Amino acid sequence: MLVWTLKGVGLIVGVSLLGTIALRWIPPPTSAVMVERRLEAWWSGRAYKVDYRWAPWDRVSPNAGLAVVAAEDQNFALHHGFDFESLQKALEAHERGRRLRGASTISQQVAKNVFLWSGRSYVRKGLEAYFTVLIELTWSKRRILEVYLNIVELGDGVFGVEAASQRFFRKPASRLAPDEAALLAAVLPNPLRFRANRPSAYIEERRAWILQQMGQIGGPAYIGQF
């Protein structure tokens, strides 16, 4: 029994490793989040269409990458998948009575969006950590950010900056201006509640903050390092 268990674990590890390595070069045909959204719509009897358009790194404005890093993971270039400093700050703020905010890195978000289901179980968190380590070991930072920009959910059925840019601004992602990129980043991490095409006062305020942070972390030159 132990031998078969070890073989099963080895097979799972091998398949996941090969799949992760393949995605270093191959655009993901879909993501776990896209599949989950389709299943939720099917179960509820709601019509649902995924708008997902892959755009390679050189066809995405540097403003898009700069905006999501400024909004979501300002230590992206420095950490190896896990930002323990941000996590500690989040926990300390929670202890002072503030709402507990997420401290997931872009690498962790890629891991869970591409490979995993929604939830907060220990099993899922363990798998998230496992895939985060695999991604950090086998992909470059540029590839991690490229995949994130393409699979991140930015609206109901809208995945990736190319689809979002075409949908909300009627232009390709290569032509996203700083304020437009900041607006897309501002709806994260709740794009089903907040809308880039109809920003609330809160989203406008968050966009202004992101634009400020984009300059402080280095502007377009920051993205040029990847």
Side-chain angles (χ1 to χ4, degrees), residues 71-225:
E72 298 284 288
D73 186 3
Q74 294 191 14
N75 290 326
F76 177 67
L78 304 176
H79 64 65
H80 299 289
F82 307 95
D83 189 350
F84 298 107
E85 179 183 347
S86 292
L87 179 59
Q88 181 62 35
K89 289 180 179 178
L91 292 173
E92 290 174 355
H94 181 60
E95 290 175 355
R96 294 195 298 270
R98 298 181 61 181
R99 182 175 63 86
L100 183 62
R101 61 179 177 83
S104 292
T105 65
I106 286 175
S107 302
Q108 288 175 278
Q109 292 182 54
V110 169
K112 61 187 177 184
N113 286 354
V114 173
F115 298 108
L116 302 173
W117 66 94
S118 298
R120 297 181 178 274
S121 69
Y122 289 115
V123 171
R124 186 194 170 283
K125 293 301 291 184
L127 288 171
E128 178 186 313
Y130 168 71
F131 279 108
T132 299
V133 170
L134 280 188
I135 287 169
E136 283 281 340
L137 289 174
T138 59
W139 298 4
S140 65
K141 285 289 188 178
R142 173 184 287 195
R143 180 59 174 176
I144 294 171
L145 188 54
E146 179 184 38
V147 172
Y148 181 74
L149 288 170
N150 275 282
I151 56 92
V152 65
E153 189 175 27
L154 291 167
D156 188 20
V158 182
F159 291 87
V161 294
E162 180 65 29
S165 184
Q166 295 282 1
R167 176 77 63 89
F168 303 133
F169 307 122
R170 305 294 185 224
K171 63 170 65 174
S174 60
R175 292 172 47 206
L176 277 171
D179 63 318
E180 293 166 337
L183 181 58
L184 292 180
V187 305
L188 301 172
N190 198 340
L192 299 182
R193 176 184 175 189
F194 303 118
R195 303 185 64 173
N197 57 337
R198 279 189 271 176
S200 62
Y202 167 75
I203 292 300
E204 290 287 7
E205 180 180 344
R206 183 162 160 76
R207 171 166 62 171
W209 177 83
I210 292 170
L211 280 168
Q212 181 184 51
Q213 296 302 305
M214 288 165 68
Q216 290 185 0
I217 65 175
Y222 176 89
I223 295 299
Q225 70 181 295

Side-chain angles (χ1 to χ4, degrees), residues 33-53:
V33 174
M34 294 179 207
V35 172
E36 187 172 3
R37 294 288 185 260
R38 286 191 178 104
L39 290 174
E40 289 171 349
W42 173 80
W43 184 258
S44 63
R46 179 172 68 94
Y48 184 79
K49 182 180 179 181
V50 168
D51 189 355
Y52 167 50
R53 318 179 197 186

